[in-house]
Amino acid sequence: MKYALLVMGAPYSSQAPHSALRFARALLDGEHTLDSVFFYRDGVHNASFLMTPPQDEANLHRLWCELNREHGVKLDVCIAAALRRGLINAEEAARHGHGEYSVASPFALTGLGQLLDIQQRCDRVITFAA
């Protein structure tokens, strides 16, 4: 089966991203396909490369990047939710006149239309919310 995940919980204040990562690994170990992960609402904070957790805690941003690198899983971030929370990529930073940004590849800022596309091409979309 082809799966996608919808992550709506913030890292370090919600169990949702941790559970989503464990579920993603279990899917891939079970020889299913994980097409993409869509980050929405507070889940967009998972895309920030500025997260610097203590060394004894999991670095969720790094773990999502590893999932992408190892398995080609797309990491889509709702642009409206991200901008509302101060998370932008280099392109949006330039467009809005900001000198800095906090979101970079493999995370991609996309619209909610991308979520609809994901729902159409996948057999299952599993939601992880706070």
Side-chain angles (χ1 to χ4, degrees), residues 3-7 20-21 23-24 27 34 36-39 64 67 115 118 124-128:
Y3 285 84
L5 306 181
L6 174 61
V7 178
L21 264 168
F23 187 81
L27 280 176
L34 179 56
S36 60
V37 179
F38 191 90
F39 298 93
W64 287 118
L67 189 73
L115 180 58
I118 289 167
R124 300 280 187 272
V125 177
I126 310 297
T127 301
F128 294 86

Side-chain angles (χ1 to χ4, degrees), residues 14-119:
S14 166
Q15 188 61 38
H18 296 277
S19 297
L21 264 168
R22 283 195 309 274
F23 187 81
R25 294 282 180 196
L27 280 176
L28 295 166
D29 289 344
E31 299 185 17
H32 293 283
T33 302
L34 179 56
D35 180 77
S36 60
V37 179
F38 191 90
F39 298 93
Y40 186 52
R41 294 189 181 167
D42 284 340
V44 299
H45 289 288
N46 287 276
S48 174
F49 62 75
L50 296 176
M51 280 192 286
T52 311
Q55 291 180 355
D56 63 340
E57 291 182 19
N59 185 322
L60 290 171
H61 181 269
R62 184 182 50 76
L63 293 172
W64 287 118
C65 290
E66 285 176 12
L67 189 73
N68 167 269
R69 187 174 52 256
E70 294 169 4
H71 300 283
V73 176
K74 296 178 191 99
L75 303 175
D76 296 311
V77 181
C78 176
I79 190 168
L83 292 176
R84 210 174 276 122
R85 289 162 176 82
L87 297 168
I88 56 175
N89 62 10
E91 180 182 307
E92 288 298 314
R95 188 164 79 92
H96 292 283
H98 297 295
E100 303 296 329
Y101 60 95
S102 59
V103 177
S105 182
F107 292 88
L109 294 182
T110 62
L112 282 176
Q114 180 67 16
L115 180 58
L116 294 174
D117 183 52
I118 289 167
Q119 290 173 332

